Amino acid sequence: MKIDIRKGSGGMTTIGFIRHGVTEWNSLGKAQGASDIPLNKIGRKQASDIGDRLSKEDNWDMIITSDLSRAVETAQIIGSKLGLPISHAEARVREINCGKIEGTTEEERVKLWGSNWSNLELGMEKFEDVSKRGRDFLEEIVSTYNDRRILVISHGALIGLTLQRLLPQKFQKTYIDNTSITILNNTEGKWDCILYNCIKHLE
């Protein structure tokens, strides 16, 4: 009997969270947040590499992406390798809005606001709000596309904060590399992370 590996068994929904490829602002150490910065040449190569990797591993049913261009382009490159179009772009999985610090480096932030700048009110979206929209999005996806395998192309803070909200004991701290893949399974409403921040395609 042939098993269709595109679908989970027993009502299991699988989410493959992928952070977008590198941008010039990433390379310069600038906070990006909701600023719409495109991939650079390295980022496009990274997206191609993760696409090649995924084409040789388990099949995926669909791709959903953040609506920011660096995620959309990453999703398009991956989709071209997998023969999958982007299902839709989703604002709820865009990056944290960094307010006044967007476009600045750590050195510039210290110069502008002092070493305790992170304690100031600079218009940054609250971590709790970011993790809530990430969780709400995933719960809706599980309800709508139960028993499917879905790639979600998103951003470092959004992915990390969502993991911390879903699995707080496992993820007290997180770090998400560009084009890393993190795989979550949801079975009967319970989340489990079976792969975290994997970048073997870049090694």
Side-chain angles (χ1 to χ4, degrees):
M1 181 176 69
K2 186 176 180 181
I3 298 174
D4 185 354
I5 62 173
R6 291 177 300 172
K7 299 181 181 180
S9 58
M12 182 175 71
T13 304
T14 299
I15 305 291
F17 253 140
I18 297 175
R19 185 185 176 194
H20 63 82
V22 164
T23 70
E24 280 307 305
W25 279 22
N26 284 144
S27 299
L28 295 171
K30 292 184 176 184
Q32 282 183 126
S35 298
D36 204 7
I37 310 302
L39 297 181
N40 63 15
K41 184 177 180 180
I42 295 172
R44 293 185 189 98
K45 174 66 164 56
Q46 290 176 328
S48 180
D49 288 343
I50 180 71
D52 286 338
R53 170 187 170 178
L54 293 175
S55 71
K56 298 168 188 172
E57 297 180 350
D58 289 346
N59 293 332
W60 294 88
D61 292 310
M62 61 190 301
I63 299 174
I64 299 172
T65 180
S66 153
D67 59 349
L68 295 177
S69 62
R70 57 190 183 272
V72 172
E73 188 175 3
T74 301
Q76 289 170 336
I77 294 169
I78 292 171
S80 71
K81 302 284 184 174
L82 303 183
L84 283 176
I86 294 172
S87 172
H88 64 275
E90 172 61 63
R92 282 178 293 176
V93 292
R94 64 163 46 193
E95 185 59 298
I96 183 173
N97 189 316
C98 289
K100 294 179 182 178
I101 77 166
E102 293 195 8
T104 67
T105 63
E106 175 67 19
E107 183 181 1
E108 289 168 338
R109 292 191 284 276
V110 171
K111 197 172 188 179
L112 285 167
W113 300 295
S115 58
N116 292 322
W117 65 265
S118 60
N119 295 323
L120 301 178
E121 178 51 61
L122 297 171
M124 181 178 286
E125 186 178 4
K126 291 181 172 57
F127 287 177
E128 181 180 355
D129 293 340
V130 177
S131 66
K132 182 179 184 300
R133 60 181 167 87
R135 180 204 63 191
D136 290 351
F137 164 77
L138 290 184
E139 288 181 351
E140 182 180 300
I141 290 301
V142 169
S143 175
T144 306
Y145 303 108
N146 185 39
D147 204 29
R148 295 286 178 175
R149 295 173 55 82
I150 301 151
L151 290 173
V152 178
I153 316 303
S154 186
H155 307 266
L158 182 286
I159 296 170
L161 290 167
T162 301
L163 289 175
Q164 290 176 32
R165 184 149 191 149
L166 295 177
L167 297 164
Q169 292 184 327
K170 185 168 186 174
F171 294 111
Q172 295 181 19
K173 293 183 178 180
T174 52
Y175 182 81
I176 308 296
D177 287 295
N178 289 98
T179 68
S180 69
I181 183 166
T182 296
I183 298 180
L184 298 168
N185 286 332
N186 184 287
T187 307
E188 297 181 351
K190 294 184 179 180
W191 289 100
D192 181 37
C193 182
I194 62 169
L195 185 69
Y196 169 66
N197 194 44
C198 183
I199 52 170
K200 69 179 185 180
H201 51 281
L202 301 181
E203 296 170 353

